Amino acid sequence: MVNIEDAGAEIGGGEPEVSESLKTFGAVHKALREAAGLTQEEYAEIVDYSVHAIAKLEQGRRYPQPKFILLAGEVLGAPKVLRAAARNLTRKQGLASWFQQWAGIEEEAVSLYTYECRVVPGLLQPEAYIRAIFERRLPPLTEEQIERQVQARLERQRLLTEAPNTAFSFIIEQALLERRLGGVAVTRALIDHLLDQSSRRNVEIQVMPLVQHDHPGFEGLVYLAESPDHQWFGYIESQDSSVLVADPKQVSSMLQRYGKMRSQALNCQDTTDLLEQMRGAL
């Protein structure tokens, strides 16, 4: 379990700033790839990553996982160079490199499970809802900061279209929709967006009803990801700390809680019916 305090960003609310050390690693990686005579497309196929993921890594916007560093070193014939570059990666002063690490796990995942009780999950937020969130952040953000955060969130959402073989499961508390954050127009856009995303073959959205007497979600949000080699990771956060969970016993507990909530929430068809009913009442 990795605990990072004062990270400066969150999955539901913020996105990471670009770390200089990550930018340096990305530049070194790009130089080695080009020296090997490989385009991003050719290289992505060899290492079995998406072109988008390679581009983000070389821009310094993705934290490289240890196994990727080893693989890249072998493919590019420079294991010592990449290991040396990776040693300089920093995690301080609000750079939110913990988010970079989770984002890397998220992008590689074959299954992603999300239970949210604070805001609608970042991957499902339409632009109007994203803006409503960042416009209400405290301390207040500047217009430039808001725009940067909005674009970063929209960029992250490409995962839904670029990972068609990943199974996405979302459980959302009905109260988040009833709250009407940002007003009626924003809520209308949000519900329309949820209905649109739920039509994807690999996306399952379930609403947890307002009344549920036997509900294990009182322990808070749950984010779970299954890696290509079928290892599960968990992620949880509060206002002051964030935790990346790798211990199998702890992840198993999170999976149990998620499984029970999945059985308690409205099924996909009932969720669609509720969303359409709520949309019609606006």
Side-chain angles (χ1 to χ4, degrees):
M1 181 174 71
V2 181
N3 184 35
I4 303 95
E5 304 233 345
D6 298 324
E10 57 187 61
I11 282 188
E15 300 291 347
E17 297 292 338
V18 178
S19 161
E20 288 301 319
S21 60
L22 284 170
K23 287 170 66 176
T24 299
F25 180 88
V28 170
H29 181 277
K30 180 180 180 180
L32 290 172
R33 174 182 58 76
E34 291 179 342
L38 295 170
T39 65
Q40 284 188 346
E41 291 75 11
E42 293 167 338
Y43 179 71
E45 186 173 351
I46 294 172
V47 297
D48 196 25
Y49 274 58
S50 70
V51 176
H52 177 59
I54 297 301
K56 287 185 67 175
L57 184 141
E58 294 186 347
Q59 294 165 3
R61 293 186 174 277
R62 174 173 178 163
Y63 198 95
Q65 300 300 302
K67 66 178 183 179
F68 175 82
I69 295 171
L70 292 175
L71 175 60
E74 292 176 4
V75 171
L76 300 175
K80 291 184 179 179
V81 174
L82 280 182
R83 284 202 302 270
R87 290 192 197 103
N88 294 322
L89 296 178
T90 58
R91 305 184 182 199
K92 60 183 179 179
Q93 298 182 6
L95 295 177
S97 56
W98 60 267
F99 186 92
Q100 299 276 7
Q101 189 174 16
W102 175 259
I105 293 172
E106 188 179 63
E107 289 183 354
E108 297 172 15
V110 296
S111 301
L112 274 171
Y113 296 169
T114 302
Y115 162 68
E116 264 290 3
C117 52
R118 309 164 307 161
V119 293
V120 170
L123 288 175
L124 293 179
Q125 296 172 4
E127 183 171 345
Y129 188 84
I130 298 172
R131 291 188 182 279
I133 288 174
F134 288 120
E135 287 171 356
R136 288 159 177 76
R137 288 292 296 272
L138 295 173
L141 301 177
T142 66
E143 290 300 320
E144 181 181 353
Q145 288 174 321
I146 291 174
E147 191 60 33
R148 185 166 63 246
Q149 299 281 27
V150 169
Q151 293 308 312
R153 178 65 50 77
L154 293 174
E155 176 74 10
R156 177 171 162 244
Q157 290 179 358
R158 291 175 58 179
L159 185 63
L160 288 172
T161 57
E162 294 185 350
N165 297 120
T166 297
F168 295 90
S169 170
F170 300 94
I171 301 174
I172 305 169
E173 288 288 344
Q174 183 177 343
L176 299 180
L177 306 175
E178 300 282 3
R179 184 170 297 146
R180 300 187 181 183
L181 178 68
V184 172
V186 171
T187 302
R188 186 179 295 117
L190 171 62
I191 293 176
D192 287 344
H193 189 68
L194 292 176
L195 288 168
D196 183 55
Q197 296 302 314
S198 66
S199 66
R200 296 184 182 278
R201 188 177 297 110
N202 63 327
V203 175
E204 178 183 274
I205 299 176
Q206 295 177 262
V207 168
M208 180 68 75
L210 289 173
V211 178
Q212 177 52 263
H213 295 169
D214 185 21
H215 182 12
F218 59 84
E219 297 203 46
L221 63 87
V222 176
Y223 281 79
L224 290 156
E226 181 187 11
S227 70
D229 57 0
H230 307 298
Q231 179 181 359
W232 282 91
F233 296 91
Y235 168 80
I236 53 179
E237 70 181 15
S238 66
Q239 291 191 22
D240 298 317
S241 65
S242 305
V243 181
L244 180 64
V245 184
D247 179 72
K249 184 176 181 180
Q250 291 179 293
V251 175
S252 176
S253 297
M254 295 174 70
L255 282 165
Q256 288 182 46
R257 291 197 296 273
Y258 192 86
K260 184 164 186 178
M261 287 188 287
R262 205 172 186 178
S263 70
Q264 295 171 327
L266 300 178
N267 64 38
C268 294
Q269 183 56 58
D270 288 344
T271 292
T272 296
D273 292 344
L274 176 63
L275 290 174
E276 291 176 343
Q277 177 184 341
M278 294 178 72
R279 174 66 170 79
L282 291 175

